[in-house]
Amino acid sequence: MVKIGKLELGEFPLLLAPMEDVSDPPFRAVCKQNGADLMYTEFISSEGLIRDAAKSVQKLDIFDYEKPIGIQIFGNEIESMREAAAIAAEAGPDILDINYGCPVNKVACKGAGAGILLDIDKMVSMTAEIVKAVNIPVTVKTRLGWDNDTIRIVEVAERLQDVGIQAISIHARTRKQMYKGEADWSYLNLVKENPRLHIPVFGNGDIDSPEKALEYKNKYNVDGMMIGRAAIGYPWIFDEIKHFLATGKKLESPSIEERIAVTKKHLDFSVEWKGEKQGILEMRRHYTNYFRGMPNFKPIRTEMVTADSYEHVCHLLDQVADQYADYVF
């Protein structure tokens, strides 16, 4: 049984990665319904939280049906991160996660996210202060290093454990790689082989099929996996991986009826959470992914991403169901 603190997550938990502009409550809802064991919010700016910025505060929205869930924060100032951690904990998450992995320039080049991998001592000090500031388990998501010359992930995991984190998720790329090239999970195996390390280690990067999940589980000895991009438009991946790990057999790909049903659920959650106008606007980024690979879909997709009413979108989804009723994925 994998545990984060007292939180039991099963024998081999699958986590939904925190993704900016993706991992909002509507998206998390459909991932939860399709097998995600633990989810995280989009990463939240510490400066935004302590200044009560509306966008940052809204990201604290979590719901009972999502539990267990973690709130993730990022920043480059220790005092701001400590204050933000306390604010986030008041929202009632099961876990507080620290983002030490975001590679984008506007974050990393300011010393936050993966930028802190250039100052491991500060990373450890910041983590220690955050652990002291809250009464819930603290976890970390990070990368292997800034570049190939600064990979110290075995040391980093141990030092973060020693100041109190209770699990670590490692994206098996450096910051310099961004999301390019192949993730190198061999470093995760080295982390797991450290006899002093006893916290769960979750692997992240390139898990996009049940077959790869089984291969990496057996090869790299991780305690669970965090899935990000592969779940966008395909929340079924969690249940598919679980089924394959348990039986060695693949589930059938979701039918057009299933895809329409989940897209409607996602839309309903989005409209309920953000209101019709904003909810429809924020759903537009998902339609291409839900119906990826379908032939001659561009005209309908174009209409979907310009539709401005709930009824219009539902009408288009019904049209997809009729037009592609016999389509097999």
Side-chain angles (χ1 to χ4, degrees):
M1 175 67 70
V2 175
K3 294 183 178 181
I4 299 178
K6 296 180 180 179
L7 186 65
E8 296 184 351
L9 296 175
E11 295 301 321
F12 192 79
L14 301 178
L15 287 58
L16 172 65
M19 294 177 283
E20 178 70 357
D21 293 328
V22 176
S23 301
D24 60 10
F27 180 71
R28 298 197 303 262
V30 295
C31 288
K32 181 69 173 182
Q33 291 175 353
N34 287 279
D37 294 303
L38 172 64
M39 302 181 296
Y40 291 94
T41 63
E42 302 170 75
F43 63 73
I44 306 174
S45 163
S46 59
E47 298 296 332
L49 277 186
I50 65 177
R51 287 167 173 72
D52 205 29
K55 184 175 181 180
S56 296
V57 172
Q58 188 176 46
K59 290 180 181 179
L60 292 175
D61 286 355
I62 56 176
F63 302 92
D64 287 342
Y65 60 76
E66 299 181 281
K67 288 182 170 288
I69 188 165
I71 289 176
Q72 189 187 73
I73 60 173
F74 77 96
N76 65 349
E77 296 294 336
I78 293 178
E79 180 58 24
S80 296
M81 286 288 280
R82 189 192 65 77
E83 291 182 34
I87 294 170
E90 291 177 359
D94 301 279
I95 290 167
L96 181 77
D97 191 69
I98 312 171
N99 183 314
Y100 291 146
C102 179
V104 300
N105 286 338
K106 66 180 181 180
V107 175
C109 292
K110 294 180 180 179
I116 206 168
L117 288 164
L118 292 170
D119 190 347
I120 303 302
D121 289 341
K122 181 179 179 180
M123 183 187 198
V124 173
S125 297
M126 180 181 289
T127 304
E129 289 302 311
I130 291 170
V131 170
K132 294 174 187 175
V134 299
N135 293 316
I136 56 176
V138 174
T139 61
V140 159
K141 184 170 189 284
T142 189
R143 288 186 169 231
L144 300 177
W146 179 263
D147 54 24
N148 286 336
D149 296 326
T150 60
I151 295 177
R152 296 164 57 189
I153 190 62
V154 175
E155 172 198 345
V156 166
E158 182 178 321
R159 290 181 67 183
L160 294 179
Q161 171 189 266
D162 290 349
V163 296
I165 73 163
Q166 299 192 40
I168 187 168
S169 300
I170 303 170
H171 185 131
R173 288 184 173 88
T174 63
R175 187 271 168 180
K176 187 175 181 179
Q177 283 181 273
M178 301 295 284
Y179 296 97
K180 299 176 182 178
E182 186 176 355
D184 187 351
W185 284 54
S186 64
Y187 287 100
L188 278 66
N189 205 39
L190 295 176
V191 173
K192 283 295 297 178
E193 288 177 347
N194 180 359
R196 287 206 66 249
L197 199 80
H198 55 78
I199 59 173
V201 176
F202 303 114
N204 177 227
D206 293 349
I207 299 301
D208 57 7
S209 71
E211 293 90 343
K212 184 173 282 188
L214 177 61
E215 176 191 353
Y216 280 32
K217 175 181 184 289
N218 293 336
K219 190 173 182 179
Y220 298 112
N221 197 32
V222 292
D223 298 290
M225 292 177 175
M226 178 177 278
I227 298 169
R229 289 174 292 169
I232 299 174
Y234 204 83
W236 301 274
I237 193 168
F238 298 99
D239 277 336
E240 288 185 359
I241 290 174
K242 287 181 175 180
H243 184 79
F244 192 75
L245 294 182
T247 69
K249 298 178 181 179
K250 292 190 70 173
L251 289 172
E252 290 186 6
S253 295
S255 66
I256 190 65
E257 291 84 3
E258 291 175 286
R259 291 170 191 258
I260 294 292
V262 169
T263 305
K264 282 187 174 180
K265 283 183 180 179
H266 194 165
L267 173 64
D268 287 344
F269 277 119
S270 186
V271 169
E272 181 180 349
W273 182 54
K274 283 286 186 76
E276 182 172 356
K277 182 178 180 180
Q278 193 65 24
I280 289 172
L281 183 66
E282 296 193 4
M283 268 298 291
R284 290 175 176 174
R285 64 175 68 100
H286 294 282
Y287 298 129
T288 297
N289 296 301
Y290 274 120
F291 304 109
R292 187 185 297 120
M294 291 173 57
N296 305 313
F297 192 71
K298 185 176 180 179
I300 296 179
R301 183 183 69 235
T302 299
E303 193 170 354
M304 277 185 172
V305 299
T306 56
D308 57 6
S309 75
Y310 176 82
E311 290 75 15
H312 191 182
V313 176
C314 288
H315 170 74
L316 291 170
L317 290 172
D318 291 340
Q319 183 179 330
V320 172
D322 291 338
Q323 185 171 332
Y324 292 90
D326 299 325
Y327 183 74
V328 179
F329 288 87

